[in-house]
Amino acid sequence: MQRPVATLAAHAVLLSYTALALFPVLLVLFNSVKARLAIFRTPYALPNAETFDLIGYDTVLGSANFPLYFRNSLTVTLVSLALILLVGSMAAFALSEYRFPGNVLLGLYLAVGIMIPIRLGTVSLLRMMVALGLTDTLLALILVYTASGVPLAVFILTQFMSQVPRDLKDAARIDGASEYRVYALVLPLVRPALGTVAVFNMIPIWNDLWFPLILASSEKTKTVVLGAQIFLGQYVNDWNAVLASLTLAVVPVVVLYIVFSRQLIRGLTSGSVK
Amino acid sequence: MKRRFPVHILVFLAPAVLIYSIFMIYPLLDSLRFSLFAPVEGGGLRFVGLGNYQTLLNSPQWAPQLWNALSNNFVFFFIHMLVQNPIGLLLAALLSSRLVRSKAVYRALIFTPTVLSVVLVGFIWRMILSPLWGISGDFLNLIGLGSLDQPWLGQESTALVTLALVSVWQNVGIPMMLFLAALIGIPDELLEAARVDGATAWKVFWRIQFPLILPTVGVVAVLTFVGNFNAFDLIYSTQKAIAGPNFSTDIMGTFFFRTFFGFQLQPGNPTMGAAIAGVMLLVILTGVLMYFFGYQRRLQRIEL
């Protein structure tokens, strides 16, 4: 090995930063399964046989509508992701495959949304959703997230799709495949890019507080993050319940992140984001 | 081949273009248009031109709030630029160096806070920093730094910086990943050549790697800018819409939200809210255009 001191120093920096990144998270996790008194007396201690208590989870899953919030979050996130991937890949296919008047201009028009946050249109979005009768529906959230996810999806997927060899597509066409068949043929070839787009969109959609608060804050349509935020206000003294609700609110996205994290770095390093 | 009207192109493009135009571009433009109106007594709206913007900039009721939110937002942004992005760069440099194996584990763990909801992040840091719970107090006393035990989020002088650092803690994974991707993309031969010539790792980084990832430095800066001037969730989650103590943590996002929806005794004011969104759009556009025409263009010239 070349320089043990440098290696050691590098590990020391990385290890301490990792500790800083994880310590608060673990604090929530461990304290969420401890009895009430133990949370206050020994917040830094690991739960043991004496202090282990799942009462917080009982409260959350029993009293509040958490299972419903969970379904809402899952529905909104998954349907939005599916729509972003579908309409995004279709548009990206057209932009990368065909030359037509306005091709470049349309690409630019769609790219504008990468940099401009959709939140700035909130006043008008709310009025629109009221007019359409869509306030307090999950559909309102799905439409907003899909619209705001499309620009980056088209941008990334266009780059990947233009790398798919021409011969492949032309061979299919000679065999009599329709353009729709060709699209269906290309789609599996850009799977890594689809994964990247999914990860990029998944985290902000699941964690968003702004639009659930403004467009869908009714009991029926609350997402789990908004539910946890409100729960926090109501049960401010029930620390077991608060910690349990917070843990539950992040578990799915952390699991998805672990599943997709290799996809994320692979997508980044293959030059999709410059 | 027969030339027909390419229906399929339309079919491919229509869904994305429609949903994007209706639910993103139209609301942005309509919100700007809406900011040119003001409510009249007895209901209804009337056109006031740039009246709302004038009120925002000049009236004693609004102007101090706007400047407070705007300057707080710049502080918020500069802390991210000075702390988050250098740390992100340092971590990426270490992770891309030949010194460290097991990179994937570090990378994944350090990125974890980024995937968490701000509700959890805000809560956990409020808990750690709360003098009431004393969790940080005990800890600091333990390591002999008891004087650092202060109500960081409760003091006007420290709340904003503290929240900015919490946001840095959460988001440092993003610049880290982007820098890492750029560093990995540098061809090995280039670095090998320098090493053979006897350059130290420090020199290789600053003379070769860093200049080559300058485009990413620009991307990270502009993403930080846009993200920060659009921020809301963390402040709302920890300090509520009132952005206390005494508005010391008020940034454009919370100012916008409070104006639009109202709070306590002040009723919501959608047209004024739209005007604040207009100001935010202007700030963000200025930042993005400065990046495209100032930074990226100059880089391209250098490359040529």
Side-chain angles (χ1 to χ4, degrees), chain A residues 61-74:
Chain A
L61 293 173
S63 76
N65 282 330
F66 254 75
L68 174 67
Y69 303 162
F70 236 91
R71 267 210 307 283
N72 290 339
S73 274
L74 270 180

Side-chain angles (χ1 to χ4, degrees), chain A residues 12-24:
Chain A
V13 172
L14 288 170
L15 266 178
S16 20
Y17 200 87
T18 307
L20 179 65
L22 290 187
F23 165 71

Side-chain angles (χ1 to χ4, degrees), chain A residues 11 20 40 44 109 124 207 257, chain B residues 20-21 30 106 133 135 169:
Chain A
H11 275 289
L20 179 65
F40 285 94
Y44 297 111
Y109 171 69
S124 176
N207 285 334
Y257 160 67
Chain B
Y20 169 72
S21 302
D30 185 57
Y106 281 127
W133 211 37
I135 170 166
W169 173 82

